[in-house]
């Protein structure tokens, strides 16, 4: 009976030699949620083991991450005060700018990425300034604000900017804004293909960013569209994005593959809050072998074509990879 490799009698060394896809702690970016105050570490009900933290706690957390070999984080801010434009996000004393400065001071070797959007900062919870007539986001005014927000983050010490609001032309605007003030070396990781997804539900709890009316369908993508998903990412590549992204990850692995095959840029996936909570809570309930299902999911992202995985599971992955 012909068989190229007899799996039933495969030497374990050969099995490793033949393994096509590998996970490494270097593949991961870990999300952190920052709030003002001191000594605050508040678990999110819908996301076990995920916390809102004050800056001092975030600094402690970075030490834990580094010990695990994780040197990149993506920051989300929860401001004290929200308003119609999301001013806190553009203020050098706002929650994110303050957090970046403190983190870079304590951990200069930490690679700090910032999520660039307004939904956590606006009182209406949408991703930009509202057009009063249309009751949806005013794309072009939001573009200017995104550029100012990016400059504030980079001045505070951010190493990479990750715009997540799906505004048309956001990469051009942010790139120009950064270049004009001498930050042409700062890369942009675009949330280039971001679907309008119910998988973001638990995130909106932790980031306190649910829209107060309507939804994000006028700027986020229809989950049913594949060609448009590829076009959206290619558009951002043309505008100068350095890294593309597909979000969410799990239900969109076909899109990950498609974009990988259509662009030579590095590709990230965002393994979002709802995906995390499904596994975590099923594991806690004893329904699945959490660690195995989680690692199988991670290798699936890599196999589909992801180069970078943004995941709330990152710390657990690091522990499993080093055999703890
Ligand atoms: C902000 C943003 C969201 C997420 C990342 N950045 C929420 C949204 O678009 O509603 C979701 C992340 C997650 O669910 O883990 N625009
Ligand atoms: Zn947003």
């Amino acid at each position: 009976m012909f068989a190229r490799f007899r799996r039933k009698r495969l030497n374990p060394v050969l099995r490793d030699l033949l393994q096509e896809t590998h996970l490494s702690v270097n593949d991961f970016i870990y999300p952190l949620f920052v709030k003002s105050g001191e000594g605050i570490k508040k678990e999110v009900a819908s996301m076990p083991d995920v916390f809102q933290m004050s800056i001092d706690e975030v600094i402690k957390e970075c030490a834990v991450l580094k010990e695990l070999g994780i040197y990149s984080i993506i920051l989300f801010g929860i401001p004290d005060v929200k308003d119609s434009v999301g001013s806190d996000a553009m203020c050098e004393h706002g929650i994110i700018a303050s957090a970046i400065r403190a983190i870079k001071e304590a951990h200069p070797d930490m690679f700090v990425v910032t999520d660039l959007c307004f939904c956590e900062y606006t009182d209406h919870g949408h991703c930009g300034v509202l057009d009063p007539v249309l009751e949806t986001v005013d794309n072009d005014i939001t573009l200017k604000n995104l550029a100012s927000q990016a400059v504030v983050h980079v001045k505070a010490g951010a190493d990479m900017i990750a715009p997540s609001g799906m505004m048309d032309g956001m990469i051009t605007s942010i790139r120009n804004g950064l270049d004009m003030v001498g930050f042409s070396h700062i890369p942009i990781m675009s949330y280039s293909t971001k679907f309008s997804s119910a998988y973001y539900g638990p995130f909106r709890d932790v980031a306190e960013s649910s829209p107060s009316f309507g939804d994000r369908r006028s700027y986020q993508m229809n989950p049913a569209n594949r060609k448009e998903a590829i076009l959206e990412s290619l558009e951002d590549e043309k505008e100068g994005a350095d890294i593309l992204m597909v979000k969410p990850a799990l239900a969109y692995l076909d899109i990950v593959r498609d974009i990988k095959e259509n662009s030579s840029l590095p590709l990230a996936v965002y393994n979002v809050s709802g995906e995390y909570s499904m596994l975590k809570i099923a594991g806690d309930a004893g329904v699945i072998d959490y660690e195995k299902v989680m690692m199988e999911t991670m290798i699936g992202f890599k196999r589909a074509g992801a180069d970078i995985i943004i995941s709330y599971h990152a710390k657990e992955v690091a522990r499993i990879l080093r055999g703890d």
Side-chain angles (χ1 to χ4, degrees), residues 139-267:
N139 192 84
D140 296 359
I141 298 178
T142 303
L143 289 184
K144 293 197 187 81
N145 291 355
L146 282 170
S148 343
Q149 192 186 1
V151 169
V152 167
H153 289 188
V154 177
K155 275 191 179 148
D159 298 297
M160 182 159 79
I161 297 297
S164 66
M166 289 291 279
M167 295 302 130
D168 298 322
M170 66 179 183
I171 305 303
T172 305
S173 170
I174 295 165
R175 186 72 276 157
N176 290 341
L178 291 175
D179 291 357
M180 250 165 10
V181 291
F183 295 143
S184 53
H185 60 292
I186 297 293
I188 300 175
M189 174 170 73
S190 179
Y191 286 65
S192 50
T193 294
K194 178 173 176 183
F195 293 93
S196 176
S197 169
Y199 279 103
Y200 309 149
F203 172 95
R204 292 179 186 171
D205 284 352
V206 59
E208 302 174 6
S209 65
S210 291
S212 59
F213 66 89
D215 54 43
R216 301 204 213 289
R217 270 183 297 185
S218 67
Y219 40 103
Q220 298 182 350
M221 278 200 50
N222 181 345
N225 293 356
R226 172 182 172 212
K227 289 179 187 151
E228 187 189 4
I230 302 170
L231 278 177
E232 281 283 354
S233 272
L234 295 183
E235 210 38 65
D236 284 9
E237 170 165 12
K238 274 191 230 139
E239 288 185 31
D242 299 281
I243 300 175
L244 302 176
M245 192 196 298
V246 174
K247 176 186 169 199
L250 207 43
Y252 299 91
L253 292 183
D254 55 330
I255 306 295
V256 174
R257 163 68 45 186
D258 283 334
I259 293 174
K260 190 68 197 169
E261 285 177 352
N262 279 282
S263 169
S264 298
L265 287 181
L267 180 60

Side-chain angles (χ1 to χ4, degrees), residues 31 33 47 76 115-120 127 164-165 191 194-195 197 199-204 209 211 216 220 247 270-274 312:
F33 298 95
M47 297 180 74
F76 297 90
D115 179 89
L116 200 81
C117 201
F118 286 103
C119 48
E120 295 120 75
C127 298
S164 66
Y191 286 65
K194 178 173 176 183
F195 293 93
S197 169
Y199 279 103
Y200 309 149
F203 172 95
R204 292 179 186 171
S209 65
R216 301 204 213 289
Q220 298 182 350
K247 176 186 169 199
Y270 200 133
N271 172 216
V272 302
S273 55
Y312 307 98

Side-chain angles (χ1 to χ4, degrees), residues 270-289:
Y270 200 133
N271 172 216
V272 302
S273 55
E275 301 172 46
Y276 171 83
S277 297
M278 287 195 306
L279 300 196
K280 195 79 187 173
I281 291 165
D284 290 348
V287 175
I288 56 168
D289 181 331

